[in-house]
Amino acid sequence: MNDEIEVLCPSCSPKIAVLHDVLKSGQNTVVQCQECGNVHPAKIERTRFFNIKVIISKGDASFTRMTKLTSDDIVSVDDEIIADDGESDEVFPIIVTAIESGDKRPEKANAEEITTIWGRAIDEVVVKIAVHRGKSTEAIQKRVPGGYEFIVGKEETADRNNFVVKKIKIRDGSLESRTGTAVEAKFIKRIFAEDAVKRGWGEGRTAWSMKGKGRTW
């Protein structure tokens, strides 16, 4: 069975690469188009590999790793990529937050143009939550996988606190408040919530609750 590659066919597909069978490999490669049967020479670009520095932020810490990209790879800000450090056997799913290419900060670049990738780890994230209780607000946190979904209107638990999600602020600056809207933790900047614990009748230091507890009436 012949090897297959995708290259341009001068006969039937001069602009879009299509599958060809490799009839002769080496310096003077000869291929046959699977679409029209045309036999022709082909120039095959060899894939090049680049070791790219990646600066990863995770919570309040940041660290540097290396990842390998090919000459076919194009990276854009907001892409989700895997930073695979072959030397340490560590793998980090990240969202690309910035790209350095020399002294420039492009929104998109080919691997060979990239000096450094900046990213935010999304394998596990810490979500900041502001829980409103009457006239006070408490700041708490919840550590979850990056793909964990918070849903507006749904009750959650963190640090022994039960709260109901009211609004979700996204990292792009938008705000979600429609009941039932789900947002993955890796995209969340902050959650605004209300205390889910409701005080029952007689709870608290009311006159009724204090009756029979050392008070005389």
Side-chain angles (χ1 to χ4, degrees):
M1 183 176 179
N2 293 331
D3 291 335
E4 295 179 336
I5 60 169
E6 285 190 340
V7 293
L8 301 178
C9 176
S11 178
C12 71
S13 187
K15 294 184 178 181
I16 300 174
V18 292
L19 278 175
H20 285 66
D21 292 318
V22 178
L23 302 182
K24 178 186 175 184
S25 58
Q27 188 172 358
N28 300 311
T29 304
V30 178
V31 297
Q32 182 174 26
C33 178
Q34 292 185 3
E35 298 293 327
C36 68
N38 181 40
V39 176
H40 61 92
K43 183 178 179 180
I44 300 176
E45 296 290 339
R46 302 299 176 187
T47 300
R48 289 177 294 159
F49 293 90
F50 303 91
N51 286 317
I52 308 295
K53 181 170 73 173
V54 184
I55 299 176
I56 302 170
S57 63
K58 190 170 185 176
D60 296 329
S62 62
F63 48 91
T64 302
R65 294 292 185 270
M66 301 298 292
T67 193
K68 185 170 289 187
L69 298 178
T70 73
S71 52
D72 298 324
D73 290 326
I74 298 175
V75 180
S76 301
V77 172
D78 291 333
D79 277 356
E80 291 187 27
I81 67 172
I82 302 294
D84 186 357
D85 191 329
E87 292 186 3
S88 62
D89 288 330
E90 292 180 295
V91 176
F92 296 93
I94 66 170
I95 289 180
V96 177
T97 56
I99 299 169
E100 286 187 14
S101 178
D103 57 354
K104 297 180 180 178
R105 287 278 185 119
E107 290 292 307
K108 179 171 66 174
N110 294 320
E112 59 187 323
E113 302 170 328
I114 297 174
T115 308
T116 305
I117 293 173
W118 294 74
R120 176 168 50 83
I122 56 174
D123 54 334
E124 187 178 68
V125 297
V126 175
V127 178
K128 297 180 180 179
I129 305 156
V131 181
H132 183 64
R133 296 189 178 93
K135 295 182 179 180
S136 66
T137 300
E138 181 182 359
I140 63 175
Q141 298 180 344
K142 184 167 184 174
R143 186 182 297 273
V144 294
Y148 183 89
E149 288 188 336
F150 286 90
I151 301 173
V152 177
K154 182 181 177 182
E155 184 172 328
E156 293 278 349
T157 301
D159 295 339
R160 298 182 180 179
N161 292 279
N162 293 333
F163 58 90
V164 177
V165 177
K166 291 298 181 180
K167 296 180 181 180
I168 301 175
K169 187 171 184 179
I170 314 300
R171 288 185 176 274
D172 65 5
S174 60
L175 193 68
E176 294 288 351
S177 59
R178 187 162 57 92
T179 299
T181 301
V183 181
E184 292 185 4
K186 60 191 174 185
F187 300 122
I188 295 175
K189 187 170 186 179
R190 187 176 298 276
I191 288 175
F192 299 93
E194 288 186 358
D195 193 353
V197 177
K198 305 299 182 183
R199 290 185 178 274
W201 176 257
E203 267 192 282
R205 297 179 63 84
T206 64
W208 178 260
S209 66
M210 294 301 292
K211 187 176 181 180
K213 294 183 171 64
R215 292 287 299 270
T216 59
W217 302 88

